[in-house]
Amino acid sequence: MTKFIFITGGVVSSLGKGIVSSSIASLLSLSNYKVRVRKLDPYLNIDPGTMNPSQHGEVFVTDDGAETDMDLGHYERFTGIISKKNDNITTGKIYEEVLKKERRGDYLGSTVQVIPHVTNEIKKFIKKDLKNEDFVICEIGGTVGDIESLPFLEAIRQLRNELGKNQTLFIHLTLVPFLTSANEFKTKPTQHSVKELLGLGIQPDLLLCRAEKKFDKKEKSKISLFCNTSLDSVILVENAITIYEIPLMLYNQGLLKQLLNHFEIKNKRTLNLRPWEDFLKKISQLKSKVKVAIVGKYTNLSESYKSLNEALFHSGIFNNTKVEIKWVDSKKIEDLKKCEKELNNCNGILVPGGFGKDGTLGKINAIKISKKNSIPYLGICFGMQLAILESISNLKGYEKASSTEFGKTSLPVISMIHEWKKNKKIFIHDKNNLGGSMRLGSYTAILKKKSKAHSIYKKNKISERHRHRYEVNYNYKKQIEKSGVVLSGMSPDGNLVEIIERNDHPWFLGVQFHPELKSTPFNPHPIFNSFINALLENSFK
Ligand code: GLN
């Protein structure tokens, strides 16, 4: 029977609930249990697709085309388990469901209420689309005490009541701050948070305590006494050099044992911790260092490019190299000379995904410098589209080549499919028609033999995740190629450009998809592996 593990957070946000959930999932899946990890988000948006990444972090796209919370990225990276649309729910989606049913008359005249109608919908989601999973881990977004989280907490309380202790486990992640002035750890915030949970009918079974440094038995005993948990159930999550230390940190304190004991699982399966041990060993023995400039608009928050950060890190480890990232605000390099100065001490340049005309000049400048000085270049999604525009605009008559994303143009080299199919001379960007027009999720691409892309993937056919509205306009194929761009990956029907490269450059690649979404520590992505290798070669020059 499937067992449900619920993870809540207390005291403050940003304690790393996503990492803790992923780490627990990793320990279970490395023990050969079938695991599913889900996120329940209390906000009212239907999904995070429309949210500004500098406020909410990256939007993670699943294979089946859902725009989800960035925590799903952690789940995939830590476990290798592919997330699905049904693994992320928001209050918005729950209400949408409830209201649809109300309009259809499904509630047979009853007054529609948070309890039981909304909570029933949440419970249904938690149990939805399962196939013999041993464990389902549900991370509840937000912090206990938030008004928005209440229906979710009520739903999991009801589930404990329905399924019993043997099938449900409550884990609470809380903060134990160290007060320098008093020279001691303070357990009161944790006590209050647990009290708040108790008020909602939830007694945590395991307490994970985030602290800046190690605390000892004294604090553990105090927490255990006041929070009504056994001493062994109080587990310390201290600051780590890398998030990838957390699975072992939890394991070493007996978390897995506690968890399996709680569920009264007698025949414990063998856990293989080797992958983490090897990975952490590699991290501690890096031999070289490279510096990559990421030229983007949301550079104020590295969370906006979480998967990218991680993918570069994974491939760095793969190449025994520390990857230093220099975040460059594209608006600050609109002067070409300044741009060259800013980028010249970097071993590689990366223009990641992005939206809108704002800041594109600096990104185009970065591409020019990479070409001029033979600096390895990786363009992801928007970074590929801009590389094409930069290239074609060097042809006579194509100086004004543009994307319809930027407004009216007579040279729509990048545009929406329905726009270039109309085959009109003037293309107008329809601002009122953006919803539902994205290409989302996994799509297949066919690679050109003997291309760089082919040598990187070592296969003819690949599948990668997309999240974009505009495409390379096939009507300009000839001119694009004439400008020095090789179209090395195409959609199976040959109409959509998936990968580009340049033969007149040591390492220049643009991809319409997001390879960073598929990189994991144990399976770093071949494109980033090759990119970091090119950076290394560039650093020896
Ligand atoms: N803005 C571009 C588009 O919508 C690129 C999107 C992206 O980089 N993810 O096509």
Side-chain angles (χ1 to χ4, degrees):
M1 223 182 314
T2 306
K3 318 243 182 243
F4 295 89
I5 298 171
F6 300 108
I7 302 182
T8 55
V11 185
V12 289
S13 60
S14 305
L15 289 181
K17 243 185 308 157
I19 303 296
V20 160
S21 307
S22 309
S23 301
I24 296 171
S26 164
L27 292 176
L28 287 168
S29 78
L30 289 173
S31 310
N32 272 319
Y33 288 108
K34 189 173 177 206
V35 185
R36 195 79 181 263
V37 201
R38 303 193 138 160
K39 176 90 195 268
L40 290 75
D41 275 313
Y43 50 75
L44 280 167
N45 304 58
I46 300 282
D47 64 39
T50 52
M51 284 157 117
N52 185 341
S54 40
Q55 267 172 39
H56 192 75
E58 166 187 271
V59 175
F60 190 77
V61 180
T62 57
D63 264 345
D64 58 4
E67 296 181 284
T68 67
D69 187 83
M70 62 182 254
D71 275 329
L72 274 81
H74 292 307
Y75 307 160
E76 281 200 6
R77 284 188 284 274
F78 275 68
T79 63
I81 303 164
I82 303 300
S83 301
K84 295 191 194 146
K85 211 174 236 153
N86 280 335
D87 290 328
N88 190 194
I89 198 89
T90 65
T91 298
K93 238 187 232 164
I94 294 279
Y95 271 83
E96 188 183 44
E97 243 352 87
V98 170
L99 295 177
K100 240 196 274 165
K101 285 186 178 168
E102 188 274 337
R103 287 293 82 185
R104 268 202 318 253
D106 289 6
Y107 296 118
L108 302 172
S110 52
T111 311
V112 181
Q113 290 174 304
V114 172
I115 308 170
H117 302 100
V118 170
T119 46
N120 281 351
E121 211 55 54
I122 296 174
K123 287 191 286 181
K124 216 168 98 194
F125 161 74
I126 292 172
K127 296 198 239 168
K128 195 174 173 175
D129 185 28
L130 296 178
K131 254 197 221 131
N132 309 322
E133 270 80 359
D134 297 300
F135 294 96
V136 174
I137 297 173
C138 289
E139 177 190 344
I140 319 281
T143 309
V144 169
D146 295 347
I147 293 175
E148 293 96 329
S149 319
L150 285 174
F152 291 99
L153 297 172
E154 169 59 15
I156 63 172
R157 182 198 69 78
Q158 291 176 15
L159 273 177
R160 157 66 62 98
N161 199 29
E162 285 162 27
L163 302 171
K165 202 174 162 195
N166 258 347
Q167 227 186 310
T168 51
L169 174 82
F170 293 131
I171 298 182
H172 189 53
L173 175 67
T174 159
L175 177 71
V176 180
F178 181 80
L179 279 202
T180 330
S181 54
N183 196 31
E184 62 177 0
F185 286 97
K186 289 291 174 192
T187 64
K188 195 68 95 195
T190 294
Q191 294 178 38
H192 277 296
S193 186
V194 172
K195 205 165 144 193
E196 183 91 32
L197 261 180
L198 276 172
L200 300 167
I202 295 172
Q203 160 71 53
D205 301 302
L206 281 176
L207 275 176
L208 301 187
C209 304
R210 276 288 280 121
E212 292 211 353
K213 51 185 184 177
K214 227 181 210 71
F215 56 66
D216 55 27
K217 218 164 162 197
K218 189 178 124 217
E219 282 79 22
K220 277 198 180 184
S221 314
K222 204 165 167 191
I223 295 170
S224 146
L225 175 70
F226 284 102
C227 299
N228 207 21
T229 49
S230 74
L231 195 60
D232 291 340
S233 307
V234 182
I235 288 167
L236 167 71
V237 190
E238 62 180 306
N239 281 4
I241 296 173
T242 135
I243 50 171
Y244 299 114
E245 284 176 33
I246 308 300
L248 286 180
M249 186 190 287
L250 298 181
Y251 174 77
N252 289 336
Q253 290 180 76
L255 177 123
L256 189 63
K257 198 169 126 211
Q258 288 294 315
L259 192 147
L260 297 175
N261 283 349
H262 170 95
F263 289 120
E264 294 177 6
I265 295 173
K266 300 244 159 46
N267 301 322
K268 298 189 178 65
R269 301 186 187 169
T270 353
L271 165 70
N272 176 17
L273 284 174
R274 259 312 270 286
W276 283 124
E277 286 160 356
D278 291 349
F279 186 72
L280 292 177
K281 195 164 155 210
K282 278 194 102 180
I283 294 181
S284 65
Q285 296 173 343
L286 300 181
K287 294 192 178 61
S288 335
K289 192 172 155 186
V290 293
K291 192 165 163 185
V292 55
I294 300 188
V295 183
K297 203 163 63 170
Y298 310 114
T299 46
N300 57 334
L301 188 77
S302 67
E303 297 288 286
S304 330
Y305 296 117
K306 192 72 200 169
S307 296
L308 186 57
N309 250 324
E310 296 304 309
L312 289 165
F313 180 70
H314 303 152
S315 291
I317 308 299
F318 177 82
N319 281 291
N320 289 313
T321 301
K322 182 175 163 46
V323 180
E324 191 194 320
I325 295 176
K326 177 174 176 175
W327 298 98
V328 182
D329 183 344
S330 58
K331 283 194 218 128
K332 298 205 172 117
I333 52 167
E334 292 187 342
D335 174 71
L336 194 61
K337 279 224 173 72
K338 199 171 166 212
C339 172
E340 183 159 21
K341 221 172 121 208
E342 200 57 31
L343 301 182
N344 247 357
N345 61 350
C346 297
N347 310 112
I349 298 171
L350 196 157
V351 174
F355 291 84
K357 189 174 185 190
D358 208 22
T360 47
L361 185 57
K363 296 179 188 180
I364 297 262
N365 280 347
I367 295 165
K368 284 194 196 311
I369 297 304
S370 107
K371 281 168 73 183
K372 178 174 171 232
N373 299 338
S374 294
I375 305 172
Y377 174 78
L378 175 59
I380 296 178
C381 207
F382 203 40
M384 182 199 90
Q385 297 175 355
L386 293 178
I388 287 185
L389 291 181
E390 189 285 328
S391 187
I392 200 169
S393 65
N394 295 314
L395 293 185
K396 202 164 179 294
Y398 287 87
E399 295 81 359
K400 293 213 159 79
S402 185
S403 164
T404 50
E405 180 170 6
F406 310 154
K408 217 172 175 180
T409 171
S410 53
L411 286 167
V413 174
I414 310 292
S415 46
M416 288 205 231
I417 301 182
H418 71 264
E419 292 174 324
W420 45 277
K421 286 212 166 136
K422 271 195 250 159
N423 213 11
K424 277 195 206 152
K425 280 253 151 41
I426 305 284
F427 289 77
I428 301 162
H429 174 48
D430 184 0
K431 278 212 172 64
N432 299 321
N433 192 21
L434 294 183
S437 53
M438 283 247 200
R439 178 143 77 107
L440 286 169
S442 271
Y443 284 86
T444 307
I446 310 293
L447 307 185
K448 190 179 181 136
K449 300 243 163 70
K450 298 208 180 103
S451 62
K452 183 170 231 60
H454 196 275
S455 76
I456 289 174
Y457 278 96
K458 297 186 177 57
K459 19 180 173 170
N460 302 332
K461 204 168 147 182
I462 58 161
S463 168
E464 293 282 3
R465 292 185 197 167
H466 290 246
R467 181 176 184 251
H468 55 101
R469 200 166 271 126
Y470 301 86
E471 304 278 356
V472 178
N473 186 338
Y474 192 76
N475 300 322
Y476 292 94
K477 182 174 181 269
K478 280 209 175 71
Q479 290 89 335
I480 292 170
E481 286 175 326
K482 197 171 152 205
S483 74
V485 170
V486 177
L487 306 179
S488 55
M490 297 295 289
S491 59
D493 64 4
N495 278 338
L496 301 175
V497 174
E498 295 280 355
I499 308 182
I500 62 155
E501 52 195 79
R502 297 192 74 92
N503 287 338
D504 56 0
H505 190 282
W507 205 101
F508 192 103
L509 207 76
V511 291
Q512 184 59 85
F513 46 83
H514 289 273
E516 71 273 23
L517 300 179
K518 281 202 175 174
S519 173
T520 73
F522 309 153
N523 212 353
H525 196 286
I527 286 189
F528 289 99
N529 292 347
S530 172
F531 182 56
I532 300 295
N533 186 263
L535 265 61
L536 261 175
E537 278 169 14
N538 194 29
S539 73
F540 298 142
K541 271 200 233 153

